[in-house]
Amino acid sequence: MRLGAVLSALRPALPLLLGLSLGCSLSLLRASWSHGAAEERCLAPGPPAPPARGAAPEAAEGRPPPGHEDFRPRIVPYYRDPNKPYKKVLRTRYIQTELGFHERLFVAVLTSKATLNTLAVAVNKTVAHHFPRLLYFTGLRSAKVPHGMVLVAHGDERPIWLMYETMNYIHQHFGSDYDWFYIMQDDTYAQAEQVKALVTHLSINQDVYLGRAEEFIGGDEQARYCHGGFGYLLSRSLLLKLHPHLDSCRNEILSVRPDEWLGRCIIDFLGVTCVSQLQGQHYHTYELAKNTEPEKEEEEEFQAALAVHPVSDMTLMYRLHKQFSRIQLDRVYQEIEDLQMQIRNLTALTPAGEAGVTWPVGINAPFLPKSRFEVISWDYFTEQHLFSCPDGSPKCELSGASKADISEIIESAVEQLNRLYQPLLRFSKRQLLNGYRRFDPTRGMEYTLDLLLEAATQKGHSHVLAKRVSLLRPLSKVEIIPMPYVTEATRVQLVLPLTVQDLDFVANFLDMFAMNTLDTHDNALLTLLFIYHPYDAQRVGQVDVFAGVKAMVGELEKRYAEVKIPWISVKTEVPSQVKLMDIVSKKHPVDTLFFLASVWTEINMEFLNRCRMNTISNWQVFFPVHFQEFNPTLVYRGEQTASSNTDFLRDGHFDRHSFAEACFYNSDYMTARTKLAADILDRDEVLESMEVFDVFLHYSGLHLFRAVEPGLVQKYTLRSCNPRLSEELYHRCVLSNLEGLASRSHLAMALFEQEQANST
């Protein structure tokens, strides 16, 4: 009875038990087979058997073959020594750096004393800006480097020695950073875009020696070297294998030509010969004859050439560059026409039909606004004036880049009309009646022109007519520009100028600074500038107007024992931003990253990190456009306040008139300030009309990055504008106060309510 009860209870679980037992039995059986095979293999001592023919080396030993380590993913384990204190791990800002990716192409140009200031300069002006990295190598000692060129002087003009030192230098400084190395002479014209396209189609895991293959004089018919005059391409794996043998090649191989010496070295020690085609890619070259006219060269071999040699003088180099640029431009136009034809043919098969073709064909359709706030406005202009000026004035004279832009557009419009209607009609411009332009971020700059034209027929009859044309300057190729970068470890030195009018806002600033930086242990320090009026400075012994602020600072230093907040006292009637920064700059190291703040700013870690990232020493300074909240009295009128609204950015605007906040390095400021001092010749009154922004704008070659910063928020306050400052600074301060009151809708509602109250 008991057995039956047990069986009835276990009956639902019987399939599960049977499956588990069967699975365990099969796993044990497979384990016994695998162990038996392993034991049989281990019974035979001695060297491992060679892999089967056709099998990959990694299949034989379970690991990649030599030289393939860089092309397989690997996991680097993280180990922390328990005996050492914990330190925050700083990661790189770019995944390419963290994963150890290599740059694509490095270019080395061999030059000499006779051609450094001629042919080498021509190479630099024609193709250097197309290559990501290009260096010039010469045997001169203490050679004077032409402007815009990076020159490496080895100090020995012997050709073989120059090649030997160049290969050593490339391996030592760039061998681990680039996948391909292109070696050329300064009497070679290379099509940079074609060379870059060539390396993108080649596999990097092979030993590549690619160029124009030439036979050795009296040597093996199978061995070839790459002619140095037409340039040649070396892979990174080949360079790494070649480097240990360079010393032996220098001592054992005798040659007059450096390209033959290098080719013999590669063949003798690596067994790799020069080839002119690889993996379906051809290295096309063209040899120039004497007295060649590049403009008249129409051979297919010339048009397909990656490298042209020999180039005898600078003028010929520029003419070659002009001709190849024209050839490349014609190819691009032909490709555009072919693509437009394909788009038309495919669009006819879509549900929208031919009506779905946008103008111009292949360019994005115009932006469609979803509300009236997204409408892109048109700017009106004539040939002399612009009616939407940067400073807000209704009319300003057309000059500079805008004048050149409009002149070019008018000429292009007339040229396109003549291209369409010739030879029946010939148009000439009389006058621009009306002009409109707007920037569409999805397409580019759009233009609409009303032109007064004179149309002439073939028989000589002419007639004046008005015609409206539409043009588009499309957005070109978007490129990622490599720039240096910093990490979160960079310390930010906050500088806060304070006047008597700012005393009511200091407490909130210090509270936000303590909460967002000191509590979070952010790498940021604070320096206060107490700006005393001469009258207050005389009475500082009896009544110190900044005594309350100093007491707050003392409380913070007691709460945070490791923090010191220094202050600097300044006596002046006109608190010039440049003069104040001069005092602070002298008291800090040159590598200090300054953040010039204002007392209304709410400091947070998000903005400080962007300050670190957007400020680059000797490259870029950052002037953020803070978000200014509107006057809550006008915006809310006793209703909901900004503090209870999650979308607080809706109740304010970005104050483009303020330049009070700035991030820059002390070294960059000192360099620009030195140039300013030489220009003004100790005229201190000029400094009162300038801000730090003006110093960097006019006296430094750095990038000035100015962008809206949603992480930099300021509460509303009516700022006091000092009338003793320059007229421009005072005017900007007044505009900032006026635009910071409220939006147009809020002001209109306030006026409406006031009129309603007055009428009743």
Side-chain angles (χ1 to χ4, degrees):
M1 194 70 180
R2 292 181 179 177
L3 181 60
V6 171
L7 291 176
S8 61
L10 294 177
R11 184 171 299 168
L14 285 178
L16 177 61
L17 295 176
L18 289 175
L20 289 175
S21 60
L22 181 59
C24 293
S25 302
L26 291 176
S27 62
L28 291 174
L29 182 61
R30 182 182 178 185
S32 63
W33 287 347
S34 61
H35 283 301
E39 290 172 0
E40 290 177 2
R41 184 174 56 188
C42 294
L43 288 177
R53 179 175 299 178
E58 56 266 33
E61 300 184 8
R63 61 177 182 273
H68 283 234
E69 292 81 2
D70 292 337
F71 315 113
R72 295 177 63 91
R74 60 187 183 277
I75 299 176
V76 180
Y78 171 71
Y79 171 74
R80 183 171 69 89
D81 191 350
N83 299 324
K84 295 183 179 180
Y86 173 74
K87 185 179 180 181
K88 183 180 179 181
V89 179
L90 296 175
R91 300 183 62 182
T92 55
R93 288 289 178 180
Y94 302 104
I95 190 172
Q96 179 177 359
T97 306
E98 187 165 327
L99 296 180
F101 289 173
H102 302 141
E103 297 293 338
R104 177 66 65 178
L105 181 63
F106 173 85
V107 180
V109 181
L110 304 178
T111 183
S112 63
K113 179 180 179 180
T115 59
L116 176 60
N117 294 299
T118 54
L119 288 176
V121 173
V123 171
N124 192 65
K125 290 184 177 181
T126 53
V127 300
H129 55 284
H130 293 283
F131 288 121
R133 189 65 181 273
L134 186 144
L135 262 67
Y136 298 85
F137 295 88
T138 181
L140 293 175
R141 291 185 180 274
S142 64
K144 185 178 180 181
V145 183
H147 179 70
M149 297 171 58
V150 181
L151 184 68
V152 178
H154 295 307
D156 195 320
E157 297 186 7
R158 291 176 294 175
I160 305 301
W161 184 267
L162 176 61
M163 177 61 71
Y164 166 77
E165 290 292 342
T166 299
M167 299 305 296
N168 264 328
Y169 187 92
I170 293 175
H171 176 271
Q172 180 181 356
H173 293 86
F174 306 103
S176 59
D177 299 331
Y178 290 86
D179 287 328
W180 298 100
F181 302 89
Y182 186 64
I183 316 296
M184 59 180 288
Q185 299 174 180
D186 58 2
D187 61 347
T188 304
Y189 176 79
Q191 288 206 67
E193 297 299 330
Q194 299 293 334
V195 175
K196 291 194 294 184
L198 174 67
V199 299
T200 57
H201 291 83
L202 295 176
S203 177
I204 62 176
N205 63 346
Q206 292 186 9
D207 298 337
V208 177
Y209 183 32
L210 182 64
R212 175 164 173 166
E214 298 283 345
E215 296 183 2
F216 290 99
I217 299 177
D220 185 6
E221 296 181 357
Q222 301 298 326
R224 299 287 190 274
Y225 73 95
C226 290
H227 194 289
F230 298 95
Y232 44 90
L233 194 67
L234 304 177
S235 64
R236 177 173 174 267
S237 60
L238 180 71
L239 180 65
L240 296 180
K241 295 177 181 178
L242 177 65
H243 180 259
H245 308 290
L246 287 176
D247 291 335
S248 301
C249 294
R250 182 190 59 181
N251 299 328
E252 299 176 6
I253 299 178
L254 299 178
S255 181
V256 178
R257 294 171 51 93
D259 49 1
E260 290 187 7
W261 174 84
L262 181 62
R264 176 57 64 188
C265 182
I266 295 175
I267 293 170
D268 290 349
F269 289 92
L270 302 182
V272 179
T273 185
C274 177
V275 293
S276 298
Q277 58 178 345
L278 183 69
Q279 301 174 12
Q281 303 298 316
H282 295 263
Y283 191 88
H284 298 286
T285 60
Y286 186 82
E287 185 172 357
L288 283 178
K290 292 183 178 180
N291 302 323
T292 301
E293 298 290 336
E295 297 80 7
K296 299 180 180 179
E297 293 287 344
E298 298 180 356
E299 301 178 19
E300 184 177 352
E301 182 182 359
F302 176 80
Q303 297 186 3
L306 274 74
V308 178
H309 174 79
V311 182
S312 56
D313 54 63
M314 297 176 60
T315 305
L316 183 57
M317 182 78 73
Y318 297 136
R319 292 169 62 189
L320 283 169
H321 185 64
K322 180 180 179 180
Q323 179 64 14
F324 278 109
S325 298
R326 182 183 292 112
I327 293 173
Q328 187 67 23
L329 194 60
D330 293 340
R331 290 174 182 170
V332 171
Y333 282 141
Q334 186 60 45
E335 291 179 4
I336 292 175
E337 293 181 3
D338 295 341
L339 290 174
Q340 288 179 338
M341 183 61 68
Q342 295 178 17
I343 292 174
R344 291 191 184 96
N345 295 336
L346 292 175
T347 307
L349 303 177
T350 61
E354 295 183 358
V357 179
T358 60
W359 180 89
V361 180
I363 305 295
N364 294 332
F367 173 73
L368 295 178
K370 298 181 180 179
S371 65
R372 63 186 180 91
F373 301 102
E374 297 180 358
V375 175
I376 304 175
S377 60
W378 290 85
D379 299 334
Y380 179 76
F381 61 87
T382 62
E383 291 186 78
Q384 293 81 24
H385 295 91
L386 186 66
F387 292 84
S388 55
C389 306
D391 58 355
S393 58
K395 180 181 177 181
C396 56
E397 186 177 355
L398 198 62
S399 61
S402 294
K403 185 175 182 63
D405 172 55
I406 292 171
S407 299
E408 183 181 358
I409 284 298
I410 295 175
E411 293 177 3
S412 178
V414 176
E415 180 183 349
Q416 293 292 334
L417 288 173
N418 287 324
R419 184 179 301 176
L420 288 174
Y421 292 98
Q422 278 186 350
L424 299 177
L425 293 175
R426 173 74 181 179
F427 292 97
S428 59
K429 180 184 75 71
R430 280 278 190 95
Q431 182 185 354
L432 173 66
L433 300 176
N434 302 293
Y436 309 88
R437 70 177 180 180
R438 71 173 184 177
F439 178 72
D440 189 334
T442 62
R443 289 160 54 90
M445 188 69 77
E446 298 179 344
Y447 303 86
T448 299
L449 306 178
D450 292 332
L451 295 172
L452 187 64
L453 303 169
E454 181 177 355
T457 64
Q458 291 177 311
K459 297 181 179 181
H461 302 290
S462 62
H463 179 69
V464 178
L465 55 89
K467 191 172 184 64
R468 167 165 288 192
V469 295
S470 297
L471 300 97
L472 173 68
R473 190 190 295 272
L475 292 173
S476 59
K477 179 181 178 182
V478 179
E479 298 182 2
I480 298 177
I481 302 177
M483 295 178 64
Y485 60 92
V486 295
T487 64
E488 295 180 359
T490 305
R491 173 175 294 177
V492 180
Q493 179 67 58
L494 281 76
V495 179
L496 179 65
L498 292 175
T499 61
V500 178
Q501 291 79 11
D502 303 331
L503 294 178
D504 296 335
F505 311 98
V506 179
N508 181 68
F509 177 88
L510 294 178
D511 290 341
M512 298 300 297
F513 173 76
M515 180 177 63
N516 293 330
T517 60
L518 300 183
D519 290 342
T520 58
H521 301 283
D522 193 89
N523 197 5
L525 300 178
L526 174 64
T527 298
L528 301 178
L529 262 73
F530 296 141
I531 305 173
Y532 287 89
H533 190 273
Y535 175 76
D536 295 329
Q538 294 177 358
R539 303 172 57 249
V540 71
Q542 295 80 21
V543 179
D544 188 356
V545 293
F546 292 105
V549 181
K550 296 177 181 179
M552 297 179 195
V553 171
E555 291 295 329
L556 281 180
E557 292 180 347
K558 290 180 182 179
R559 192 192 314 171
Y560 305 95
E562 71 282 359
V563 175
K564 298 296 180 182
I565 303 178
W567 67 70
I568 303 173
S569 299
V570 182
K571 182 179 72 172
T572 180
E573 292 184 4
V574 183
S576 169
Q577 195 181 52
V578 178
K579 289 184 177 181
L580 297 176
M581 202 61 229
D582 288 345
I583 299 173
V584 178
S585 175
K586 296 176 182 178
K587 297 182 179 294
H588 290 84
V590 295
D591 59 346
T592 303
L593 172 59
F594 285 125
F595 168 45
L596 189 58
S598 60
V599 71
W600 308 283
T601 305
E602 296 182 357
I603 304 299
N604 57 66
M605 187 183 300
E606 177 186 359
F607 166 73
L608 290 179
N609 285 336
R610 275 200 285 269
C611 178
R612 295 181 178 101
M613 292 298 299
N614 293 330
T615 310
I616 305 169
S617 178
N618 199 29
W619 185 275
Q620 179 173 282
V621 293
F622 179 42
F623 287 86
V625 181
H626 69 259
F627 185 84
Q628 178 69 53
E629 293 187 355
F630 287 142
N631 189 342
T633 305
L634 293 175
V635 174
Y636 303 106
R637 298 185 299 279
E639 299 176 357
Q640 185 183 13
T641 60
S643 59
S644 60
N645 188 3
T646 56
D647 190 14
F648 65 91
L649 291 184
R650 185 186 60 185
D651 305 321
H653 75 117
F654 290 100
D655 189 2
R656 61 186 178 89
H657 298 292
S658 176
F659 295 85
E661 293 85 11
C663 295
F664 53 89
Y665 278 90
N666 193 17
S667 57
D668 296 333
Y669 176 79
M670 294 172 66
T671 303
R673 186 65 178 86
T674 303
K675 296 180 181 179
L676 171 62
D679 187 29
I680 64 176
L681 299 176
D682 297 332
R683 291 179 296 162
D684 291 342
E685 66 275 5
V686 178
L687 300 180
E688 298 177 0
S689 63
M690 300 182 67
E691 291 184 319
V692 174
F693 178 81
D694 302 313
V695 175
F696 283 109
L697 179 63
H698 299 291
Y699 297 97
S700 76
L702 306 178
H703 297 265
L704 269 68
F705 181 42
R706 181 157 171 81
V708 294
E709 179 51 64
L712 200 62
V713 181
Q714 292 189 8
K715 296 293 183 181
Y716 171 78
T717 181
L718 185 62
R719 305 172 189 177
S720 59
C721 301
N722 193 338
R724 301 197 60 175
L725 295 174
S726 67
E727 182 180 355
E728 182 182 358
L729 297 181
Y730 181 77
H731 181 65
R732 285 211 305 249
C733 180
V734 173
L735 282 179
S736 179
N737 279 333
L738 293 177
E739 293 186 3
L741 287 174
S743 64
R744 293 185 179 182
S745 59
H746 292 135
L747 292 174
M749 184 60 66
L751 289 174
F752 176 75
E753 292 179 356
Q754 184 178 4
E755 291 181 358
Q756 290 292 329
N758 294 335
S759 62
T760 57

